Amino acid sequence: MPAVPPQADPRPEPCPGAGPRPDARREPCPGARRRTPRRRAYAAVALLALSLAALAALCLAQPNVLVDVLVYRAEGRAVLDGTDLYGFTVTEWELPATYPPFAALLFVPTAWPPLPVVQALFAAGNAVLLAWLVHLSLRLAGRRAGPAALVTATALGVWLEPVFQTFVFGQINLALACLVLWDLTRPDGARGKGLAIGVAAGIKLTPAIFAVYLLLTGRVRAGLTALAGFAGTAAVGAAVLPGASADFWTRRLFETGRVGKAWIVDNQSLQGLAARLLHTPEPGPWWAVPAAAAGLLGLWLARRAHARGQAAWGVLITAGTALLVSPISWSHHWVWCVPLLAVLAASRRRWPVYAVAAVFTARTLWLVPHSGDLDLHLPWWQQPLASPYPLLALALTGYAARRLRGGRRPAPVQTSAPAPAPAPPGGREREREGERP
């Protein structure tokens, strides 16, 4: 009978220097357990460094980069010099100031350092803000992630088209999204809840829709605080810049053409979609009526989602509604794709995450002809490629309406202080699956 070879002991080797323990199960060395998370952290940091280096290289290769910083800097200089805040234009595209006077006061510090320093600070600040937005998005989804996962998500998030464009133009979209999301993910009884939303609306008007959302969902105190914060920013602007404030609130606010052409592919709002679809720069009621309907439906769905324990989807529906109904929503305004992906990732299904991530990384709007007025002459089959974000938002709105129509109350999604998911054997973190509407 042939000899049976001895089988290897499947138990882990004891730590070096440990004495024999014949009557106990051998445990792996604690240092070995710490090695894997450390390696993951090193890999995540390396990925982030590589991602930011590639981003910097692409930005430096472009002739015009961080051009919106030039506008902010000019606004700050106009405040310091006492010149007309809304009478200047900068760059070859003749970009004017379009924000309320309160924003110009915040931009004053950008007028002091040399321009390259300001641009570098904007780029670094947006990198930090992206990491914070990822953290807040996970909190909105009721999930926590370790440092390695957070850094990895930040490195990958850079390449979402709205985030990438925010870096390239030197925009403030990430800062505004962080202000709003930080406020909304605080407990409802938190002191001053709503104030950050009001300040964000004072910088750029669109976040004011979240004050309406708070009021509609019964959080009257927070909603009134947001409105008071917004009124406070307007009062500060009027006190320091009375002439500019009168000019903005009585005239410039209604000149949407100052922001840019509504029909170009850069504009991913319902107005841009309608203009390109109808081949006209002025879609008129053909976009105004659908926008009004989308606004009412979106706010109703957001209220219903909150009432049914789906606060995260209430926030996302409100954000999508604001982007749809705004006359102009440049592609870099859609940085709310970050919390959307986080909430989708917390669900049981994985394919929606991959599909939405593909939409926001494919950059199909830049693949269609868009020089000159070619945006207005796209054939029918190029229309979905030219308007991916509003079409996705409409699809998600319809999906939410269908899921929220039934009588079953879904399990709630936490919006603050989520508990960490239990770690399975081996020490690897595994996120608990959640529900979505």
Side-chain angles (χ1 to χ4, degrees), residues 156-162 164 337 341 353-367 388-389:
L156 297 177
V158 167
W159 303 104
L160 296 167
E161 191 271 345
F164 178 82
C337 63
L341 287 168
V353 185
Y354 303 139
V356 171
V359 169
F360 284 107
T361 54
R363 294 162 167 75
T364 59
L365 65 160
W366 305 118
L367 300 180
Y389 303 163

Side-chain angles (χ1 to χ4, degrees), residues 63-342:
N64 298 295
V65 67
L66 287 99
V67 292
D68 285 328
V69 176
L70 300 176
V71 181
Y72 305 150
R73 185 179 172 87
E75 290 185 43
R77 176 52 59 187
V79 172
L80 292 175
D81 296 342
T83 55
D84 186 2
L85 179 58
Y86 299 104
F88 69 83
T89 58
V90 295
T91 77
E92 61 186 273
W93 297 289
E94 299 183 347
L95 301 175
T98 58
Y99 295 165
F102 177 74
L105 297 178
L106 300 181
F107 295 145
V108 166
T110 65
W112 295 327
L115 178 60
V117 174
V118 178
Q119 291 176 321
L121 289 175
F122 260 79
N126 273 331
V128 174
L129 288 169
L130 175 58
W132 191 26
L133 182 60
V134 171
H135 167 72
L136 293 172
S137 300
L138 291 171
R139 191 162 76 177
L140 177 72
R143 298 293 179 265
R144 278 181 179 167
L150 183 63
V151 172
T152 300
T154 303
L156 297 177
V158 167
W159 303 104
L160 296 167
E161 191 271 345
V163 176
F164 178 82
Q165 293 291 83
T166 294
F167 275 96
V168 169
F169 288 118
Q171 262 284 338
I172 60 172
N173 307 300
L174 292 171
L176 297 175
C178 285
L179 277 174
V180 171
L181 204 51
W182 172 78
D183 213 350
L184 290 173
T185 53
R186 299 167 67 208
D188 285 337
R191 169 184 271 181
K193 176 161 182 164
L195 182 60
I197 291 175
V199 172
I203 298 172
K204 195 171 184 176
L205 300 178
T206 310
I209 193 173
F210 289 99
V212 179
Y213 168 67
L214 289 173
L215 293 173
L216 290 177
T217 52
R219 291 169 286 182
V220 177
R221 180 178 177 180
L224 293 178
T225 301
L227 294 177
F230 172 65
T233 63
V236 170
V240 181
L241 301 169
S245 294
D247 188 18
F248 178 83
W249 295 110
T250 62
R251 177 185 171 195
R252 305 297 184 178
L253 175 62
F254 308 101
E255 296 177 350
T256 55
R258 283 173 53 86
V259 182
K261 299 181 179 69
W263 46 267
I264 58 179
V265 295
D266 310 48
N267 183 20
Q268 291 292 297
S269 70
L270 277 179
Q271 184 180 19
L273 169 65
R276 292 185 292 272
L277 189 62
L278 299 174
H279 309 292
T280 174
E282 298 290 342
W286 294 106
W287 87 269
V289 174
L296 294 174
L297 176 62
L299 288 173
W300 179 81
L301 287 174
R303 179 181 180 274
R304 188 169 178 83
H306 179 84
R308 292 169 63 81
Q310 292 289 334
W313 281 99
V315 171
L316 292 175
I317 293 171
T318 304
T321 300
L323 292 166
L324 280 174
V325 304
S326 176
I328 290 183
S329 293
W330 302 131
S331 70
H332 51 74
H333 293 167
W334 289 78
V335 292
W336 284 90
C337 63
V338 176
L340 172 61
L341 287 168

